[in-house]
Amino acid sequence: MTTTPVNPDAGGEEWRAMVNEVVPDPGRHAAAVAAARARIPGLRMRPVTLRLVDRAGRPLAGVPVRIEQQRSAFCWGENLWGQDGHWRNGSWHHDRARSERDRFLDLFNACNALCYWTERPRHDGPKSEERLGEPRYDGFAAMVDWGLANHLTVKGHPLFWSIPKAVPDWAQRYDRDTFMRFLEVRIRSLTARFKGKVRIWDAINEPLWEACPWRLAERRWPHIEPVSEMADYIAPVLGWARAEDPDALLVINDYGLERTGDKPPLGSDGLPTTAERQRQRMVELVE
């Protein structure tokens, strides 16, 4: 038996093209949707055998059965950068924003609510404490509430990303111990405040490619840190988050582990940064 999922899996470029229009153009999008549907059998479907029994475990025969897929067990999602911007900039109720949200709910069952510590200073992105002592979680909270109200699986992204553009300038001025105390306040505040609402967090973002927080000034991408030094800041982050919300799923989120391009970039250690090498480093980090 095979079933056809309710929602097509539009690719990233196709999705961006669609949400850039206030009013959908059926003709323009028909080809993209058709191509997405054509990929479904190979990517998302497989033969299944069902054995139907009664409550005593006896096989049923001659009983009419109707099977209808209600939802996907897999989280299909996208980030809420644009909607966060609409909320912060007063355009949440504009037709364009409402159309984008309708399109989002047509396609996805999950979302990334964004809570960057900062996201490129002086850049109008979702960020929670670009200035010391001025934490702002209102935009993030609004996105979480919208996602939950629409039965989406909400993932918080990210608790910590060790990259210059995502660590506030003020935090980078402090010594290592003081920096980690500020980071602890952030991690505990977010996970405690949204306990029970955000059940999945990208706790650490892209560590395999970036410098440790106390070496951000030396960063040269791909920055290949010793695994033991990455663990020195990742373990506390996971520990703080786990202490505040023992039931949350904490993710170490990364990329470039599946395949190596024609010219793998040279890491800061002078060696090619291949997918195989990064997979091994991820295993070592988890261990």
Side-chain angles (χ1 to χ4, degrees), residues 16 18 21 29 68 96 98 108 120 126 151 153 183 188-189 203 209 220 228 236 238 243 252 273 283:
R16 291 183 182 88
M18 285 189 280
E21 293 186 14
H29 305 315
E68 181 177 346
R96 178 188 182 94
R98 293 165 66 92
F108 299 128
R120 193 172 291 114
H151 310 291
T153 296
L183 182 58
R188 289 185 181 274
S189 296
W209 299 82
R220 184 171 67 80
S228 60
L238 297 178
I252 299 177
T273 308
V283 171

Side-chain angles (χ1 to χ4, degrees), residues 250-273:
L250 305 177
V251 178
I252 299 177
N253 179 56
D254 225 312
Y255 66 97
L257 281 74
E258 295 182 354
R259 60 181 66 88
T260 302
D262 295 336
K263 294 182 179 180
L266 292 181
S268 55
D269 58 357
L271 300 176
T273 308

Side-chain angles (χ1 to χ4, degrees), residues 42-60:
L43 296 174
R44 299 169 54 187
M45 298 172 70
R46 64 187 175 94
V48 175
T49 300
L50 299 179
R51 182 172 181 267
L52 304 179
V53 299
D54 62 18
R55 293 189 179 187
R58 296 183 293 265
L60 294 174

Side-chain angles (χ1 to χ4, degrees), residues 87-103:
W87 191 90
R88 287 180 290 106
N89 295 315
S91 55
W92 179 260
H93 296 294
H94 290 188
D95 285 349
R96 178 188 182 94
R98 293 165 66 92
S99 177
E100 290 172 359
R101 292 195 295 277
D102 289 344
R103 205 84 48 78

Side-chain angles (χ1 to χ4, degrees), residues 115-153:
C115 57
Y116 297 103
W117 204 354
T118 187
E119 209 295 326
R120 193 172 291 114
R122 297 164 296 281
H123 180 273
D124 189 28
K127 40 198 171 185
S128 55
E129 197 177 8
E130 183 171 4
R131 292 173 176 82
L132 175 59
E134 298 180 14
R136 292 192 58 185
Y137 302 133
D138 47 354
F140 179 65
M143 296 305 102
V144 170
D145 288 345
W146 177 79
L148 294 177
N150 287 281
H151 310 291
L152 300 175
T153 296

Side-chain angles (χ1 to χ4, degrees), residues 208-264:
L208 298 179
W209 299 82
E210 299 297 341
C212 290
W214 42 86
R215 277 202 285 272
L216 291 178
E218 306 165 24
R219 176 198 185 251
R220 184 171 67 80
W221 185 92
H223 201 104
I224 306 300
E225 291 281 17
V227 169
S228 60
E229 297 221 17
M230 288 194 293
D232 281 347
Y233 77 88
I234 291 174
V237 168
L238 297 178
W240 298 326
R242 178 71 67 225
E244 299 298 336
D245 188 354
D247 298 322
L249 176 64
L250 305 177
V251 178
I252 299 177
N253 179 56
D254 225 312
Y255 66 97
L257 281 74
E258 295 182 354
R259 60 181 66 88
T260 302
D262 295 336
K263 294 182 179 180

